[in-house]
Amino acid sequence: MSDYGHDLVFGSFTTPGNDDPDRTVGLAVLAEQVGLDLVTFQDHPYQPRFLDTWTLLSFVAARTDRVRLSANVTNLPLRPPAVLARSVASLDLLSGGRVALGLGAGAFWDAIEAMGGRRLTPGQGVRALEEAVDVIRQMWDAQARGGVRVDGEFHRVVGAKRGPAPAHAVPIWLGAYKPRMLALTGRRADGWLPSLDYLQPGDLAGGNKIIDDAAREAGRSPGDVRRLLNISGTFSSTGGGLLHGPAGQWVRELVDLALVDGVSTFILASDNPDDLRRFAGEVAPAVRELVAAERDSGTPSARTPAEPVVAAQPAALVAPAPRPTRARVTGGAFAVVPTPDDGRRLSDRRVWDESARPSGPTPDPTRTYTAHEQAAGQHLVQVHDGLRGELAEIHDLIEQVAAGEIDAGAARSHINTMTMRQNRWTLGAYCESYCRIVTTHHTIEDQALFPRLRQADPRLRPVVDRLEQEHHVIHEVLEGVDKALVAYVGTPDGLAELRDAMDLLTDALLSHLSYEERELVEPLARLGVS
């Protein structure tokens, strides 16, 4: 088992078809809009049905602001490494440091040879790739003295001027399957990027071992190599094999790949916009939460027995979008601060009587709490911060509808992918991790956390009952926002009704989240974590 401790990254793998270039670019823009971290395209320069990948990446970089970009993977036999190094560095500078370099040794040799490339044997391909990595890294090392010099068997650079240096330390990811390529990945690369469809059972574990051993022999840490994975599948109501089933099944299977096989970057091969929305809105947040909670719990089985988790070096990372920072707490007095309710309300309507909310038992002021215990309450605040962020995103969507930037149908579709819409309230994923992920779906509070609290401390029953009731009310309020969007499609002058529904949701949700934090952060530390 291996968990290398890298932050989780989620991306898209889009076909670079030239039959509808606007749609191809639109899928990349959508990936950024729904919150994915990375956009990739395959690189097959001999394929006339495809747009040129590096031209496409440049165009997409100009149409996006945040998402990272990479070829998946670059066809090295048709991309001279010295020129490729300058292309990558240039795009990284133009995009503000958003480029990664996926590299492959080559395949489809008939097509490569037809385009003027040299046919290589598998062994030659590995040696040529290692020489290319050397050329590229020297070209990027603009501060070193002298020119670039690689007198290789396949690539020869004699005194070329160095530079430009990229805007950030561009990671090099290798598409590798065979032992020699895997060993090269361990020695020289920042990431391993295979496709799940091409792997057999046990290949991930076997590949990790080869990479880890090669990294150690080269004086590196196995954690220096990020483990990425191209995946594909189908969202459906019933399960039908790996990544073919409900979103909850996807969550369980990706969590397993992360904690057992060390995969930290999941790249979905799909040209279906709805798949991208569900992957970003339903799967990615739940996987992040479960993996983070499992790591926080310190479960030994989630890590390589012989080694501690080692964070990757910055060069090997593709940073995800900024997310709420999890505060660190230490042992001693209870230090987790619930988010206060500022009392402001936007709507004249009230969905419940806040004065009738019960309170739980008063905490013992003499009790002390370990950092591990306090992490449960802190995680509740973090999850709520995510929900507050989604609320702000809904507000932004409504204003985009009002400004005519998007239509109401697109806003409805986006809201339907959001965590709140799935009724995955607060600590469902977190609680599941503390039950050692024994359930078969992404447990929601009403089914898992609340029964535990009722049983552990009967004095909390009135609070938990009230929170459960408020969940149902908030769901109804969300339905009201959806109905208002539907009405707005047919009646453009219904903007006032839409904003009223949004104001009511804001009042209800922010009030509920503050109440839940006030009542549960301390009991979670006292009862829920051992």
Side-chain angles (χ1 to χ4, degrees):
M1 292 185 179
S2 302
D3 176 11
Y4 300 92
H6 301 130
D7 292 339
L8 296 190
V9 173
F10 295 84
S12 65
F13 188 8
T14 300
T15 305
N18 60 27
D19 56 329
D20 189 351
D22 288 341
R23 185 176 190 277
T24 300
V25 175
L27 287 170
V29 173
L30 175 66
E32 177 171 88
Q33 290 174 341
V34 300
L36 292 177
D37 311 300
L38 175 67
V39 166
T40 71
F41 301 96
Q42 56 191 288
D43 181 35
H44 297 288
Y46 40 75
Q47 176 53 264
R49 294 185 293 106
F50 289 171
L51 296 164
D52 173 70
T53 296
W54 278 97
T55 305
L56 175 60
L57 286 169
S58 299
F59 194 87
V60 169
R63 292 285 303 276
T64 55
D65 299 308
R66 174 192 58 81
V67 75
R68 268 58 177 176
L69 305 162
S70 179
N72 189 352
V73 288
T74 304
N75 190 298
L76 182 63
L78 293 175
R79 308 279 188 187
V83 178
L84 177 62
R86 289 211 166 116
S87 297
V88 173
S90 297
L91 185 55
D92 197 55
L93 290 165
L94 290 167
S95 66
R98 293 192 284 133
V99 177
L101 177 58
L103 278 177
F108 308 104
W109 291 103
D110 289 344
I112 289 171
E113 196 171 39
M115 288 284 287
R118 177 181 175 183
R119 182 185 293 269
L120 301 177
T121 66
Q124 290 174 328
V126 176
R127 297 198 300 275
L129 179 57
E130 185 159 17
E131 292 175 5
V133 170
D134 194 12
V135 171
I136 291 166
R137 293 200 188 282
Q138 286 196 44
M139 291 291 291
W140 289 344
D141 189 6
Q143 299 303 314
R145 299 175 63 86
V148 174
R149 294 189 178 275
V150 175
D151 189 10
E153 180 183 358
F154 304 96
H155 299 293
R156 188 166 182 266
V157 182
V158 185
K161 293 184 181 297
R162 297 173 183 268
H168 84 303
V170 174
I172 295 178
W173 304 328
L174 300 188
Y177 297 92
K178 301 296 185 180
R180 282 178 291 190
M181 278 287 288
L182 292 166
L184 172 59
T185 303
R187 292 195 307 272
R188 303 295 304 278
D190 304 304
W192 175 31
L193 177 52
S195 293
L196 185 59
D197 288 347
Y198 295 161
L199 298 174
Q200 298 299 316
D203 282 356
L204 282 173
N208 279 336
K209 185 179 187 310
I210 294 173
I211 291 170
D212 293 354
D213 290 346
R216 294 187 190 95
E217 290 175 5
R220 310 176 71 202
S221 165
D224 292 342
V225 184
R226 175 175 283 269
R227 317 302 157 113
L228 308 94
L229 189 64
N230 294 318
I231 60 174
S232 60
T234 304
F235 289 103
S236 62
S237 58
T238 58
L242 182 63
L243 300 181
H244 289 274
Q249 176 186 327
W250 283 58
V251 170
R252 295 192 305 276
E253 291 167 348
L254 296 189
V255 167
D256 188 63
L257 286 167
L259 295 177
V260 176
D261 293 302
V263 179
S264 56
T265 298
F266 297 99
I267 306 172
L268 178 62
S270 177
D271 298 330
N272 185 325
D274 289 337
D275 285 350
L276 295 179
R277 292 186 179 100
R278 296 196 70 178
F279 186 58
E282 298 180 44
V283 175
V287 174
R288 279 194 172 102
E289 293 223 8
L290 283 170
V291 171
E294 191 73 5
R295 288 171 173 172
D296 284 349
S297 73
T299 307
S301 61
R303 299 175 181 171
T304 307
E307 300 185 14
V309 170
V310 180
Q313 298 299 316
L317 292 176
V318 171
R323 301 181 187 278
T325 301
R326 181 183 309 167
R328 298 295 179 185
V329 292
T330 58
F334 193 71
V336 180
V337 179
T339 304
D341 184 346
D342 61 13
R344 290 183 296 176
R345 299 293 182 263
L346 302 176
S347 175
D348 294 332
R349 290 189 290 158
R350 299 291 179 264
V351 293
W352 48 54
D353 181 1
E354 296 179 8
S355 67
R357 284 170 167 163
S359 295
T362 302
D364 179 358
T366 65
R367 191 190 193 284
T368 59
Y369 305 80
T370 67
H372 184 64
E373 287 174 329
Q374 296 195 58
Q378 186 61 51
H379 194 82
L380 174 62
V381 176
Q382 183 201 23
V383 174
H384 282 184
D385 284 344
L387 295 178
R388 293 181 185 101
E390 288 188 344
L391 183 65
E393 190 172 346
I394 294 179
H395 270 288
D396 184 60
L397 285 168
I398 301 304
E399 293 309 312
Q400 289 183 55
V401 171
E405 297 175 7
I406 62 172
D407 60 35
R412 286 187 68 212
S413 177
H414 188 68
I415 291 172
N416 277 331
T417 69
M418 300 177 79
T419 306
M420 290 189 299
R421 183 67 173 180
Q422 308 309 316
N423 202 26
R424 293 199 179 96
W425 302 105
T426 60
L427 275 188
Y430 186 75
C431 176
E432 184 174 359
S433 75
Y434 274 88
C435 298
R436 304 278 68 83
I437 318 180
V438 296
T439 56
T440 59
H441 64 283
H442 186 215
T443 309
I444 60 174
E445 281 184 336
D446 297 345
Q447 296 175 345
L449 178 64
F450 288 173
R452 286 183 64 201
L453 290 174
R454 288 188 184 99
Q455 182 177 12
D457 188 345
R459 296 174 299 171
L460 288 171
R461 182 178 297 275
V463 170
V464 171
D465 289 347
R466 173 66 186 233
L467 289 170
E468 193 170 69
Q469 293 166 9
E470 292 190 5
H471 287 177
H472 297 295
V473 174
I474 292 173
H475 184 75
E476 293 173 1
V477 175
L478 269 168
E479 291 291 342
V481 174
D482 189 61
K483 290 176 182 177
L485 280 165
V486 172
Y488 186 73
V489 173
T491 310
D493 59 357
L495 184 59
E497 179 183 349
L498 180 56
R499 282 182 165 143
D500 286 346
M502 194 62 227
D503 288 347
L504 186 62
L505 174 63
T506 301
D507 291 349
L509 185 66
L510 294 183
S511 170
H512 171 80
L513 297 180
S514 292
Y515 171 53
E516 184 166 321
E517 288 177 24
R518 185 188 79 196
E519 296 299 329
L520 293 191
V521 289
E522 190 278 334
L524 282 171
R526 176 167 47 87
L527 304 170
V529 181
S530 59

